[in-house]
Amino acid sequence: MNTLGVALVGHAFMGAVHSQAWRTVGRVFDLPARPERVVLCGRRKDAAASAAARLGWRECSDDWKSVLMRDDVHIVDICTPGDSHAEIAVGALEAGKHVLCEKPLANSVAEAEAMAEAADRARRNGILAMVGFNYRRVPALALARSLVQQGRLGEIRQVRAHYLQDWLVDPQAPLSWRLRAERAGSGALGDLGAHIVDLAQHLVGDEIVAVSGSVETFVGERPLPDEPARRGRVTVDDAALFTARFREGALGTFEATRYATGNKNGLRIEVNGSRGSLAFDFESMNELAFYDGTDPADVAGYRRILATEPQHPYLEAWYPPGHVLGYEHTFVHELRDFITAVADRSTPSPDFAAGLHVQRVLDAVQRSAAQHSRWTPVLQGER
Amino acid sequence: MNTLGVALVGHAFMGAVHSQAWRTVGRVFDLPARPERVVLCGRRKDAAASAAARLGWRECSDDWKSVLMRDDVHIVDICTPGDSHAEIAVGALEAGKHVLCEKPLANSVAEAEAMAEAADRARRNGILAMVGFNYRRVPALALARSLVQQGRLGEIRQVRAHYLQDWLVDPQAPLSWRLRAERAGSGALGDLGAHIVDLAQHLVGDEIVAVSGSVETFVGERPLPDEPARRGRVTVDDAALFTARFREGALGTFEATRYATGNKNGLRIEVNGSRGSLAFDFESMNELAFYDGTDPADVAGYRRILATEPQHPYLEAWYPPGHVLGYEHTFVHELRDFITAVADRSTPSPDFAAGLHVQRVLDAVQRSAAQHSRWTPVLQGER
Amino acid sequence: MNTLGVALVGHAFMGAVHSQAWRTVGRVFDLPARPERVVLCGRRKDAAASAAARLGWRECSDDWKSVLMRDDVHIVDICTPGDSHAEIAVGALEAGKHVLCEKPLANSVAEAEAMAEAADRARRNGILAMVGFNYRRVPALALARSLVQQGRLGEIRQVRAHYLQDWLVDPQAPLSWRLRAERAGSGALGDLGAHIVDLAQHLVGDEIVAVSGSVETFVGERPLPDEPARRGRVTVDDAALFTARFREGALGTFEATRYATGNKNGLRIEVNGSRGSLAFDFESMNELAFYDGTDPADVAGYRRILATEPQHPYLEAWYPPGHVLGYEHTFVHELRDFITAVADRSTPSPDFAAGLHVQRVLDAVQRSAAQHSRWTPVLQGER
Amino acid sequence: MNTLGVALVGHAFMGAVHSQAWRTVGRVFDLPARPERVVLCGRRKDAAASAAARLGWRECSDDWKSVLMRDDVHIVDICTPGDSHAEIAVGALEAGKHVLCEKPLANSVAEAEAMAEAADRARRNGILAMVGFNYRRVPALALARSLVQQGRLGEIRQVRAHYLQDWLVDPQAPLSWRLRAERAGSGALGDLGAHIVDLAQHLVGDEIVAVSGSVETFVGERPLPDEPARRGRVTVDDAALFTARFREGALGTFEATRYATGNKNGLRIEVNGSRGSLAFDFESMNELAFYDGTDPADVAGYRRILATEPQHPYLEAWYPPGHVLGYEHTFVHELRDFITAVADRSTPSPDFAAGLHVQRVLDAVQRSAAQHSRWTPVLQGER
């Protein structure tokens, strides 16, 4: 069996989660190739070294560019903030490395376009690129997509997608990099909105073509992280709300917020079709609610499907029914699918083109917001 | 259309609820006869008079015996504490009045036997008697019974029936009549246990033949209601737990308690069969959870059926889907069924024989408890 | 005690529900005046006569105008479709009758303005007018309002209000009067959206000042009710989505739809404040979820409050804890509050000015929708 | 930092789960010693070899006895069926190895006694032994225990503990080793009942002193796994029901079953105290419901605590709030606590004495069942 050497860039929250997934995936799934955790890259050598020891990487580096030159590295996994995605991803693809890049793909449409073009070019040489929209790999949501594809919801009419967190409710919470546009690109919109845009399009099996959106910053200034007595300006949105039209006519409502007191990671999505409906909340991630409108009226009702049966996506490799999975398993599934795609030389999903489309939707939301929420096409040419 | 004159005995909580149902039933359902609220009986004339005015009864009386002699009274509805049920019910039946008697049928098996015999005799003259186990008339539970009868649960294996309240948690709660054996017969066992025994038998469509039970009084003395400085002895159970076998082999576990802090009227019942399961909690009384084991594994799950569709029992007369019903509507349904039975001269369900059987089950629980929870047959001859 | 003679106009669904409430309110609550069900008005005499008999009204009439002249009528309760509200209400107020008018107040802002003006004039003569936004009287929602008013949510940041039904999912459902603009004014927007606009403003204690909205008709033609072989055009919206700003800065998202398969009467509302949050779903109308952000982090969580305690609004008159209420009880509460206001000569809530404001919000949604969802002020002068 | 060499015996379901936990624990938690996965033992060399490769163990062996002689092995982790626990555990302890043994401790009280004695002797030499009741390490349940210990529930009155599975509902399911008394000891009682007995005692902080129990085998014969045309006798229980008394007076009801259609891993437990209540269901393992009876009545309600805050047990090492954990994480927590105890030479919890007590409770259930469910003391001397 082939070995795939992996370099991971970034070792904060996302880097740690990816590391756990890289350590686990080959122990649980039958893979077509064996991933090896070759090198962990960080900005500072000492921090990278201690992270590599802790997270189980053979080597460490503070120079991702040189890592791209290594023959024993086949995959570059990018877990840095969004402002460095484009440079690293394009560099890696040009160096002939497969790339897995955390979401959102980039901080701007221009960067995302460059990345998608690089991915296109690389694709011709058998080099693959994938965006890390991990929620697609929640088994309950993979099941949801499959039910839509089987036609069990009929024609899709409406989608309701909310991503509710509450970690900014306190006006004294510090001005982290996530609240500065130059690092994070946007606020709730890019961090949370990107997930629900991708997920909604994935579940419905259709693309958003236009949006009407609003963004809001509730607290304009916050204490600086290193100097709490001083305050700096918040340059991203706290909440983003938008309505969207899909190509085939479905209507979607979207909300991403960090001010929904009491909601910790409330990624909630509902899909209503002419024959049935689905509902999901990540806080109960092992459950999918499914309403089958073809059931006789006296026994119709939302079914709480506990998506832990061997018949459910990804579950054949795990535990007996009812022995539930958690957040981190979505990354294990993502890696399984990515490694499989790399081994097969098949296009992974979502690819960078999909990531670019999400970026364009987010951009259209910002453009709409700047124009009094006027309906705005996602592709400017379509205006 | 015939008129049925009604006399109601008792005007406390149950009397008020029945009054609301008598006022409503003919306004909502198409009935074969028209009930008239002729007379309300109480122990004290003045209280009965003001209750009659408030609750909408034409006359009042402090002498239920004389009321039994009236030609314009056809139905006697008994809403008094259990210690007077036997005398009133037997008297009414012997006077040729149809009887609706609140549960539990009586405070002892002997009384219940006398009542069932009187009902038998009356039945031969076309006079009917029914026990007021109102929870059978929750639409979601009527649907539950229908699903079991249709075979959608297959062979019934297990029943779990809990009736959880918490109004005695405070050790300073007063020693009301419900805590004295001479008035109430028993405590949680007769008050709450009677409901779940009836309901479980009704849903399963089978009879309990033996029990192993325990009863417990957590707080032995309480303040007297009228003299809080003095304390009196609690002579009934606070909680009763029992395991039961049904004739056809199903196993049931039952719990009735007034000490389940945080549970207000938690009548919960689950039925597990070889092909499916049901679950219900009265605190969400419009919902029935139904698991259809014949669904494909990937889409099987407990369905939350909102039992408010026109196809559901009793709902044809009420509101559009989702416009939920409440506790009091179960009594309206009970009256509809009772009036229909009276008009048809068909045996109402549950009749006094069913009420007697419940009483025998409760008695067997007490006998078992007195014998270290030894399994005890419900019918002593079957021991 | 004074008697208040009532005339009810309309005896379809709403008329029946109001009748049940008129029959019940004085039996349950201590009222300052005694309502009498004097006369039921309908368009056809025979239908009105049979409805009056069934629903318990002393007389019937097919001429509401003459009823306004009667001295024994003090209250006119309007349960007709929206297109006749203005004429009846203005007539009644001018005739010196107190008016309870079902929502939405009218089919247009112009009508609503005329009604609010008539109400203003009548108010000076001690004649009162109220709009029937019954959901304010759900005990759990009355509690919700009280918690916001006590400051337990802090500063309100966001509101999420959905009213989800599914009775139009079937494209063969007939073209009822509710789907024709000339009768109904609008579709989901006026029927469902009016409720959530009123409720959100009521809970937040603030007014919506601007909206960005979209409306959608998914199925453009439907069979005529009386001639199913022919189809007519649907002239109202099937779904309405809008974002709203409140005067004090809160953001709201609203959705009213008749296409949310599996949702029967899913009036759901969430309010997020700086100190806490609330969540409610009418399908479980006895429950309020309350998150208290001041709880210590280890025990903070949404509380499921079963709003059936004697401490909860309206509950002192009803049943013991856990003996849940239903849809119809909200009307009983509405009548209690209306009768109390009439007896006190105090302004009932919501008055016609509040109803007019709701109407203006709905109108602004339609104007915004006609302008590519551009943000639109509710008061045109504020533009 | 010290290294602790680990030998794992058994590589089926439990062995795989433990392996994942051994691989993970040091990557996530700061440990006082470094565990090394030295050797995996199985009955057959080839199977052990491939399991070792897959699960990440350096070596494999088909001779656990010789492994006990190795100096580089400090911990023996026993994941075999119950009939071999005693021999391996006693052997390992006598060889000076720390032991982690899967539950139930043994198949009989006699074996468990021998193990507890061996653990006592080893304890004097600083050698430690722990039983693998992993559910104690669900963060929500560790929080539950802490709330009880803080007195937030007051005096404990009642416990309701159910462990509901459904994998035997099909009468054609094969006669696996779990259905044969000689391998498994008992059926649902030992497999599922052991968990809820340990958990209930752990949460309440008290011991069960007497039980009244019943056991039931619904399907008496099943197809042989290797020869489906032939049937063999099921020699264990399918369901076990029992009532229990705790030393301090609390009452518990317990049910373990493999016939609860639709329940996959429904470990549900409720605790009612004089000041509050708790409720938990493993199928939603990240949630704890807590009712605080000292809350004002108008805002009292079961709180859904999402036990993913940094303030919650074990969570400081994991992900941000709302990024939920799964079944396998309970084993990571178990290993952290075990390694910590080993490094500190402190007694791990639950130790073998606790495991023995659970065994005695299960044995008392069987003895009670054999005596018509008569109340039976757990310690025979106390009879």
Side-chain angles (χ1 to χ4, degrees):
Chain A
M1 187 162 59
N2 263 2
T3 284
L4 290 170
V6 181
L8 175 68
V9 193
H11 50 72
F13 167 38
M14 265 303 121
V17 175
H18 280 234
S19 294
Q20 169 72 357
W22 283 114
R23 290 192 308 265
T24 301
V25 61
R27 306 298 186 191
V28 174
F29 287 98
D30 288 321
L31 298 177
R34 186 194 342 266
E36 282 197 4
R37 301 185 303 281
V38 174
V39 56
L40 179 64
C41 305
R43 276 177 298 168
R44 295 206 325 268
K45 188 71 180 237
D46 53 346
S50 90
R54 166 146 213 154
L55 301 176
W57 295 83
R58 202 195 302 151
E59 302 172 36
C60 69
S61 165
D62 60 355
D63 177 16
W64 60 264
K65 289 187 187 176
S66 70
V67 164
L68 299 187
M69 302 300 106
R70 290 174 62 151
D71 286 343
D72 61 346
V73 166
H74 309 94
I75 287 173
V76 175
D77 179 3
I78 305 174
C79 288
T80 56
D83 59 341
S84 54
H85 285 187
E87 186 185 10
I88 304 173
V90 172
L93 289 166
E94 290 179 349
K97 310 304 183 195
H98 307 291
V99 170
L100 173 61
C101 182
E102 257 307 314
K103 50 56 61 180
L105 188 57
N107 278 1
S108 70
V109 168
E111 287 171 341
E113 283 172 342
M115 293 168 78
E117 281 158 27
D120 259 0
R121 287 191 303 270
R123 182 76 187 83
R124 285 176 226 130
N125 303 317
I127 299 301
L128 302 168
M130 180 175 174
V131 198
F133 284 114
N134 64 301
Y135 291 117
R136 289 191 178 196
R137 268 76 188 191
V138 173
L141 289 173
L143 170 64
R145 165 146 160 115
S146 152
L147 293 174
V148 174
Q149 287 184 313
Q150 291 165 35
R152 299 199 62 165
L153 266 69
E155 195 174 337
I156 306 302
R157 302 287 197 197
Q158 296 192 248
V159 180
R160 236 160 270 114
H162 297 154
Y163 201 148
L164 309 181
Q165 296 187 344
D166 72 355
W167 56 277
L168 283 183
V169 164
D170 179 359
Q172 299 310 319
L175 187 70
S176 80
W177 70 264
R178 289 180 181 273
L179 304 188
R180 288 162 48 207
E182 63 274 24
R183 293 299 305 283
S186 66
L189 181 63
D191 182 23
L192 308 180
H195 273 303
I196 50 177
V197 166
D198 177 68
L199 199 53
Q201 294 186 133
H202 180 62
L203 292 187
V204 174
D206 192 7
E207 275 189 344
I208 291 171
V209 292
V211 297
S212 162
S214 303
V215 294
E216 179 76 20
T217 304
F218 291 109
V219 174
E221 296 200 325
R222 290 181 171 277
L224 298 182
D226 304 323
E227 221 179 328
R230 287 184 53 213
R231 303 174 79 80
R233 205 157 69 81
V234 175
T235 50
V236 301
D237 59 281
D238 287 335
L241 314 170
F242 48 104
T243 309
R245 276 179 202 284
F246 290 77
R247 196 174 302 283
E248 303 293 335
L251 262 185
T253 57
F254 292 81
E255 177 178 349
T257 181
R258 294 158 167 175
Y259 276 76
T261 307
N263 298 278
K264 302 308 174 180
N265 202 39
L267 190 168
R268 309 191 301 205
I269 190 160
E270 297 182 18
V271 185
N272 302 134
S274 57
R275 295 182 66 210
S277 287
L278 293 169
F280 172 85
D281 182 339
F282 184 79
E283 291 185 3
S284 304
M285 67 167 266
N286 293 279
E287 301 173 25
L288 179 68
F290 168 45
Y291 183 91
D292 187 336
T294 67
D295 279 332
D298 63 335
V299 291
Y302 271 96
R303 303 171 191 196
R304 172 188 172 270
I305 301 173
L306 194 62
T308 59
E309 297 292 311
Q311 290 83 353
H312 290 137
Y314 305 107
L315 263 294
E316 75 286 359
W318 293 106
Y319 309 123
H323 293 70
V324 297
L325 299 184
Y327 170 69
E328 75 179 44
H329 298 90
T330 62
F331 295 89
V332 180
H333 304 164
E334 181 173 292
L335 294 188
R336 188 203 68 164
D337 292 345
F338 181 56
I339 293 165
T340 303
V342 166
D344 294 354
R345 293 293 190 259
S346 63
T347 305
S349 169
D351 63 9
F352 277 18
L356 168 59
H357 187 78
V358 171
Q359 212 63 34
R360 284 180 170 145
V361 172
L362 303 182
D363 185 66
V365 170
Q366 289 180 311
R367 286 183 286 124
S368 170
Q371 293 180 315
H372 306 285
S373 298
R374 197 185 159 84
W375 276 96
T376 301
V378 169
L379 290 179
Q380 301 213 34
E382 295 189 16
R383 185 186 295 261
Chain B
M1 187 160 61
N2 263 1
T3 285
L4 290 170
V6 181
L8 175 68
V9 192
H11 51 72
F13 168 36
M14 265 305 121
V17 176
H18 280 235
S19 294
Q20 169 73 354
W22 283 114
R23 289 193 308 264
T24 302
V25 61
R27 306 298 186 188
V28 174
F29 288 98
D30 288 320
L31 297 178
R34 186 195 343 265
E36 282 197 3
R37 301 186 302 282
V38 174
V39 56
L40 178 64
C41 306
R43 276 178 298 169
R44 294 205 325 268
K45 188 74 180 236
D46 54 346
S50 91
R54 166 144 214 155
L55 301 176
W57 295 83
R58 202 196 301 150
E59 302 172 34
C60 69
S61 166
D62 60 356
D63 177 15
W64 60 263
K65 288 187 188 174
S66 69
V67 164
L68 298 188
M69 300 302 103
R70 291 173 63 148
D71 285 344
D72 60 348
V73 166
H74 310 95
I75 287 174
V76 174
D77 179 2
I78 305 174
C79 288
T80 57
D83 59 342
S84 54
H85 285 186
E87 187 186 8
I88 304 174
V90 172
L93 289 166
E94 290 181 348
K97 310 303 182 193
H98 307 290
V99 171
L100 172 62
C101 182
E102 258 307 314
K103 50 55 60 181
L105 188 57
N107 278 2
S108 71
V109 168
E111 287 171 342
E113 284 172 342
M115 293 168 80
E117 280 158 28
D120 259 1
R121 284 191 305 270
R123 182 78 186 82
R124 284 176 228 131
N125 303 318
I127 298 301
L128 302 169
M130 180 176 176
V131 197
F133 285 114
N134 64 300
Y135 290 115
R136 290 189 177 199
R137 268 78 188 191
V138 173
L141 289 173
L143 170 64
R145 164 146 162 116
S146 152
L147 293 174
V148 174
Q149 286 184 312
Q150 291 165 36
R152 299 199 64 165
L153 265 68
E155 195 174 337
I156 305 304
R157 303 287 199 199
Q158 296 192 249
V159 180
R160 236 160 270 114
H162 298 155
Y163 201 148
L164 309 181
Q165 296 187 344
D166 73 355
W167 55 278
L168 283 184
V169 164
D170 179 357
Q172 299 311 316
L175 186 72
S176 80
W177 69 264
R178 288 180 181 274
L179 303 188
R180 288 162 48 207
E182 64 275 23
R183 293 300 305 283
S186 65
L189 182 62
D191 183 22
L192 309 180
H195 272 305
I196 50 179
V197 165
D198 178 68
L199 199 52
Q201 296 188 131
H202 180 62
L203 292 187
V204 175
D206 192 8
E207 274 190 345
I208 292 172
V209 293
V211 296
S212 161
S214 303
V215 293
E216 179 77 19
T217 303
F218 290 111
V219 173
E221 295 200 327
R222 290 181 172 276
L224 299 182
D226 303 322
E227 221 179 329
R230 286 183 53 212
R231 302 175 79 79
R233 205 157 69 81
V234 174
T235 49
V236 301
D237 59 282
D238 286 336
L241 313 170
F242 48 103
T243 309
R245 275 180 204 285
F246 290 77
R247 196 175 301 284
E248 302 293 333
L251 262 184
T253 57
F254 293 80
E255 176 177 350
T257 180
R258 293 160 168 173
Y259 276 77
T261 307
N263 297 279
K264 302 308 175 181
N265 202 38
L267 189 168
R268 309 191 303 204
I269 190 159
E270 297 182 18
V271 185
N272 301 134
S274 57
R275 295 183 67 210
S277 287
L278 294 170
F280 172 85
D281 182 339
F282 184 79
E283 291 185 3
S284 304
M285 68 165 264
N286 293 278
E287 301 173 23
L288 179 69
F290 169 45
Y291 182 91
D292 187 337
T294 67
D295 279 333
D298 64 335
V299 290
Y302 272 96
R303 302 172 192 195
R304 171 187 173 272
I305 302 172
L306 194 62
T308 59
E309 297 292 311
Q311 291 83 354
H312 289 138
Y314 305 107
L315 262 295
E316 76 284 0
W318 294 107
Y319 309 122
H323 293 70
V324 297
L325 300 184
Y327 169 69
E328 74 179 43
H329 298 89
T330 61
F331 294 91
V332 181
H333 304 164
E334 182 174 289
L335 293 189
R336 188 203 68 166
D337 293 346
F338 181 57
I339 293 165
T340 303
V342 165
D344 294 353
R345 295 292 191 259
S346 62
T347 304
S349 169
D351 63 10
F352 277 16
L356 167 60
H357 187 78
V358 171
Q359 212 62 35
R360 284 180 170 145
V361 171
L362 302 182
D363 184 67
V365 170
Q366 289 181 311
R367 286 184 285 126
S368 170
Q371 293 178 315
H372 307 284
S373 298
R374 196 186 161 83
W375 276 96
T376 300
V378 169
L379 290 180
Q380 302 216 33
E382 295 189 16
R383 184 187 295 261
Chain C
M1 187 161 58
N2 263 2
T3 285
L4 290 169
V6 181
L8 174 68
V9 192
H11 49 73
F13 167 37
M14 266 304 121
V17 175
H18 280 235
S19 294
Q20 169 73 355
W22 283 114
R23 289 192 308 263
T24 301
V25 61
R27 305 299 185 188
V28 174
F29 288 98
D30 287 322
L31 297 177
R34 186 196 341 266
E36 282 196 4
R37 303 186 301 283
V38 174
V39 56
L40 178 65
C41 306
R43 277 178 296 169
R44 294 206 324 269
K45 188 75 182 235
D46 54 345
S50 91
R54 165 143 215 156
L55 301 175
W57 295 82
R58 203 194 301 151
E59 300 173 36
C60 69
S61 166
D62 60 355
D63 177 16
W64 60 262
K65 289 185 187 176
S66 69
V67 164
L68 298 187
M69 301 300 104
R70 292 173 61 151
D71 287 343
D72 60 347
V73 167
H74 309 93
I75 288 172
V76 174
D77 180 1
I78 305 174
C79 289
T80 56
D83 58 342
S84 54
H85 285 187
E87 186 186 9
I88 303 173
V90 173
L93 289 166
E94 290 180 348
K97 311 304 182 192
H98 308 290
V99 170
L100 172 62
C101 182
E102 258 306 313
K103 47 60 59 182
L105 188 56
N107 278 2
S108 72
V109 168
E111 286 171 341
E113 284 172 342
M115 293 169 78
E117 280 158 27
D120 259 1
R121 285 191 304 270
R123 181 79 187 80
R124 285 175 227 132
N125 302 318
I127 299 300
L128 302 169
M130 180 176 176
V131 197
F133 285 114
N134 64 300
Y135 290 117
R136 290 189 176 198
R137 268 77 189 191
V138 173
L141 289 173
L143 171 64
R145 166 147 161 114
S146 152
L147 293 174
V148 174
Q149 286 184 313
Q150 291 165 34
R152 299 199 63 164
L153 266 69
E155 195 174 336
I156 305 303
R157 302 286 198 200
Q158 294 193 250
V159 180
R160 236 159 269 114
H162 296 156
Y163 202 148
L164 309 181
Q165 296 187 345
D166 73 354
W167 56 277
L168 282 184
V169 165
D170 179 358
Q172 299 311 317
L175 186 71
S176 79
W177 69 266
R178 289 179 181 272
L179 304 187
R180 288 162 48 207
E182 65 276 22
R183 294 299 305 283
S186 66
L189 181 62
D191 182 22
L192 308 180
H195 273 304
I196 51 179
V197 165
D198 177 69
L199 199 52
Q201 296 187 131
H202 180 62
L203 292 187
V204 174
D206 191 8
E207 274 189 346
I208 292 171
V209 292
V211 297
S212 162
S214 303
V215 294
E216 179 76 21
T217 303
F218 291 110
V219 173
E221 296 200 326
R222 290 182 171 275
L224 299 182
D226 303 322
E227 220 180 328
R230 287 183 53 212
R231 304 174 79 80
R233 205 158 68 81
V234 174
T235 50
V236 301
D237 58 282
D238 287 335
L241 313 170
F242 48 103
T243 308
R245 276 181 203 283
F246 290 77
R247 196 175 301 285
E248 303 292 336
L251 261 186
T253 56
F254 293 80
E255 177 178 350
T257 181
R258 294 160 167 172
Y259 276 76
T261 307
N263 298 278
K264 302 308 173 179
N265 201 38
L267 189 167
R268 308 190 303 204
I269 190 159
E270 296 182 20
V271 185
N272 301 134
S274 57
R275 296 182 67 211
S277 287
L278 294 169
F280 172 84
D281 182 338
F282 183 79
E283 291 185 4
S284 304
M285 67 165 265
N286 294 278
E287 301 174 24
L288 178 69
F290 168 45
Y291 183 91
D292 186 338
T294 68
D295 279 331
D298 64 335
V299 291
Y302 272 96
R303 304 171 191 195
R304 172 189 172 271
I305 301 172
L306 195 62
T308 58
E309 298 292 311
Q311 290 84 353
H312 290 137
Y314 305 107
L315 263 295
E316 76 284 359
W318 294 107
Y319 309 122
H323 293 70
V324 298
L325 299 184
Y327 170 69
E328 74 179 43
H329 298 89
T330 62
F331 294 90
V332 180
H333 304 163
E334 182 173 290
L335 293 189
R336 187 202 70 165
D337 293 347
F338 181 57
I339 292 166
T340 303
V342 165
D344 295 353
R345 292 293 189 258
S346 63
T347 304
S349 170
D351 63 8
F352 277 16
L356 167 59
H357 187 77
V358 171
Q359 212 63 34
R360 284 179 171 146
V361 172
L362 303 182
D363 185 66
V365 170
Q366 289 180 313
R367 286 182 287 126
S368 170
Q371 292 179 316
H372 307 284
S373 298
R374 198 187 159 84
W375 277 95
T376 300
V378 170
L379 291 179
Q380 301 214 33
E382 295 189 15
R383 184 187 295 260
Chain D
M1 186 161 57
N2 263 2
T3 284
L4 289 170
V6 181
L8 174 68
V9 193
H11 50 71
F13 168 38
M14 266 303 122
V17 176
H18 280 234
S19 294
Q20 169 73 356
W22 284 113
R23 290 192 308 264
T24 301
V25 62
R27 306 299 184 189
V28 175
F29 288 98
D30 288 321
L31 297 177
R34 186 194 342 265
E36 283 197 3
R37 300 185 303 282
V38 175
V39 56
L40 178 64
C41 305
R43 276 178 298 168
R44 293 206 324 269
K45 188 72 181 236
D46 53 346
S50 90
R54 166 143 214 157
L55 301 175
W57 294 82
R58 202 195 301 151
E59 301 172 36
C60 69
S61 166
D62 60 356
D63 177 16
W64 60 264
K65 289 186 187 175
S66 69
V67 164
L68 298 187
M69 302 301 104
R70 291 174 62 150
D71 287 343
D72 61 347
V73 166
H74 309 95
I75 287 173
V76 174
D77 180 1
I78 305 174
C79 288
T80 56
D83 59 342
S84 55
H85 285 186
E87 185 185 10
I88 303 173
V90 173
L93 289 167
E94 290 180 348
K97 310 305 184 194
H98 306 292
V99 170
L100 172 62
C101 182
E102 258 306 314
K103 51 58 57 181
L105 188 57
N107 278 1
S108 71
V109 169
E111 286 171 342
E113 284 173 341
M115 294 169 78
E117 281 159 27
D120 259 0
R121 286 191 303 272
R123 183 76 188 82
R124 285 176 226 130
N125 302 319
I127 298 301
L128 302 169
M130 180 175 174
V131 197
F133 284 113
N134 65 299
Y135 290 116
R136 289 189 178 198
R137 269 76 189 191
V138 173
L141 289 174
L143 170 64
R145 163 143 162 118
S146 151
L147 293 174
V148 174
Q149 287 184 312
Q150 291 165 35
R152 299 198 64 165
L153 266 67
E155 194 175 338
I156 305 302
R157 303 285 197 200
Q158 294 192 249
V159 181
R160 236 159 270 114
H162 298 155
Y163 202 148
L164 309 181
Q165 296 187 343
D166 73 354
W167 55 278
L168 282 184
V169 164
D170 180 357
Q172 300 310 318
L175 187 71
S176 80
W177 69 264
R178 289 181 182 273
L179 304 188
R180 289 162 47 207
E182 64 275 23
R183 293 301 303 283
S186 65
L189 182 63
D191 183 20
L192 308 180
H195 273 304
I196 50 178
V197 166
D198 177 68
L199 199 53
Q201 295 187 132
H202 181 62
L203 292 187
V204 174
D206 192 8
E207 276 190 344
I208 291 171
V209 291
V211 296
S212 162
S214 303
V215 293
E216 178 76 20
T217 303
F218 292 109
V219 173
E221 296 200 326
R222 290 182 171 276
L224 298 181
D226 303 322
E227 221 179 328
R230 286 185 52 212
R231 304 175 78 80
R233 205 156 69 81
V234 175
T235 49
V236 301
D237 58 281
D238 286 336
L241 314 170
F242 48 104
T243 309
R245 276 181 202 284
F246 290 77
R247 195 175 302 285
E248 304 293 333
L251 263 185
T253 56
F254 292 82
E255 177 177 350
T257 180
R258 293 159 167 174
Y259 276 77
T261 307
N263 298 278
K264 302 307 175 180
N265 201 39
L267 190 167
R268 308 191 303 202
I269 190 159
E270 296 182 18
V271 185
N272 302 133
S274 56
R275 295 183 67 211
S277 288
L278 294 169
F280 173 85
D281 182 339
F282 183 79
E283 291 185 3
S284 303
M285 67 165 266
N286 294 278
E287 301 173 24
L288 179 68
F290 169 45
Y291 183 92
D292 187 336
T294 68
D295 279 332
D298 64 334
V299 291
Y302 272 95
R303 302 170 191 197
R304 171 188 172 272
I305 303 172
L306 194 62
T308 59
E309 298 292 311
Q311 291 84 353
H312 289 139
Y314 304 108
L315 263 294
E316 75 286 359
W318 293 106
Y319 309 121
H323 293 70
V324 297
L325 299 184
Y327 170 71
E328 75 179 45
H329 297 90
T330 63
F331 294 90
V332 181
H333 303 164
E334 181 173 290
L335 293 189
R336 188 202 70 165
D337 292 346
F338 181 57
I339 292 165
T340 303
V342 165
D344 295 352
R345 295 292 190 260
S346 63
T347 304
S349 169
D351 63 8
F352 277 17
L356 167 60
H357 186 78
V358 171
Q359 213 63 36
R360 283 180 170 145
V361 172
L362 303 182
D363 185 67
V365 171
Q366 289 181 312
R367 286 184 285 124
S368 170
Q371 292 179 315
H372 307 284
S373 298
R374 197 187 160 84
W375 276 96
T376 300
V378 169
L379 290 179
Q380 302 214 34
E382 295 188 16
R383 186 187 294 258

